[in-house]
Structure formats: structure tokens, C-alpha cells
Amino acid sequence: WTVAHFFYSDSYTDSSTNIRPLINNDNDVSGTFFVCIRSSGKLCLHMRGGSVVESENALTPGWHHIRVTHVGNGVLRAYLDGEFILTVNKFSRTTESMCIGQFVQHNDNTRQFTGNIDGIEFFEIDEERISEYTGSSAPVPEKPF
């Protein structure tokens, strides 16, 4: 499966220590995941009970596209603006209380993404198209905004 959307902010850095979610199904149970923007402006992909990886560079202001693809065997790959940036292992959970694509939401109000999102996608990938979504790049739809 893959889940994706466009997101926008005038600034992705802030002075807090908070994280701002983009896509997640994390409810503190091992095997759930969380893609967020850290106060440094860097993207972070966190696998509960697994690994945490962070992008090299902070996001520049403006529109971006984020995609997370589950490639099987517990592996998630993240793509920023169509380019592969992060991977984590040990994804094993879909939760009853949250779908795979919970967007820009957190149960702590100080940890909300403030900006805009558009063009939400969430679908299963058939075997004939899996290579399109798992390599060094992944599709970015035409911007709908």
C-alpha cells in the first residue's frame, strides 16, 4: 500500500521541541509508525519499537509531497517530493483506533501540523506497479492546488 499527500507551511522550523505529524498510525504500540516534522524542520520516520531515522536537510518553506510505501516484510519507505529519503523496518501493526493514514493529527494539541494539506492518496499497490513505488523515486501527482 501507499499513502501520500501534499503539505504546505511558510516555515517548517520552530523554537519548540515539538514534533508535527504528517502521516501516522502510532498509538504507542510496538510496530506502529509516525512520520513527522521535527522543530529543526527535518522529516523523521519513527517505527515504534524499531528504528528512528531523520532526513539530512530541513524542509524549505512552501509545498512538498510526502509518500510512505509499505513494501512488504515490515519495511516502510518514505519519499519527499518523489525522491527516496528514509526507510524503517519492523512495521507490523494496523490499529483499530487509527487507520494507516491518520493525517496531521496528534492527541497533544501542541503537536499539531499547522499549515495546509491537499491531494490525499491511500491505496493498495498491485504487483505490476510495485516497482513504481519502491525504488529511488516514487510518483508525485500533479499538484491540485
Side-chain angles (χ1 to χ4, degrees):
W1 52 259
T2 187
V3 60
H5 64 78
F6 289 96
F7 61 99
Y8 174 89
S9 182
D10 291 330
S11 175
Y12 292 101
T13 58
D14 66 37
S15 59
S16 74
T17 58
N18 286 339
I19 52 176
R20 288 149 300 158
L22 292 175
I23 300 171
N24 78 93
N25 81 329
D26 187 2
N27 65 351
D28 294 333
V29 174
S30 182
T32 57
F33 77 96
F34 192 86
V35 179
C36 66
I37 303 169
R38 293 190 185 250
S39 58
S40 64
K42 294 180 180 183
L43 281 177
C44 175
L45 179 53
H46 175 249
M47 183 62 54
R48 185 74 59 182
S51 54
V52 177
V53 290
E54 187 175 86
S55 64
E56 279 187 41
N57 301 311
L59 292 166
T60 57
W63 282 102
H64 291 281
H65 184 264
I66 184 73
R67 177 177 302 282
V68 175
T69 301
H70 180 231
V71 301
N73 298 320
V75 177
L76 296 179
R77 293 175 62 88
Y79 297 84
L80 178 64
D81 300 327
E83 299 300 316
F84 170 74
I85 55 166
L86 307 168
T87 189
V88 294
N89 299 312
K90 298 187 180 181
F91 172 71
S92 63
R93 286 277 208 187
T94 55
T95 62
E96 291 178 12
S97 62
M98 291 180 256
C99 71
I100 293 296
Q102 181 174 344
F103 303 104
V104 301
Q105 204 172 13
H106 195 280
N107 61 1
D108 178 347
N109 287 336
T110 65
R111 295 182 173 194
Q112 301 298 330
F113 174 76
T114 53
N116 300 306
I117 65 169
D118 202 351
I120 297 171
E121 296 180 309
F122 181 39
F123 57 90
E124 288 188 32
I125 306 168
D126 57 38
E127 285 189 39
E128 296 82 40
R129 298 185 65 204
I130 193 78
S131 63
E132 290 179 53
Y133 292 88
T134 57
S136 60
S137 62
V140 176
E142 288 193 30
K143 296 182 180 180
F145 39 84

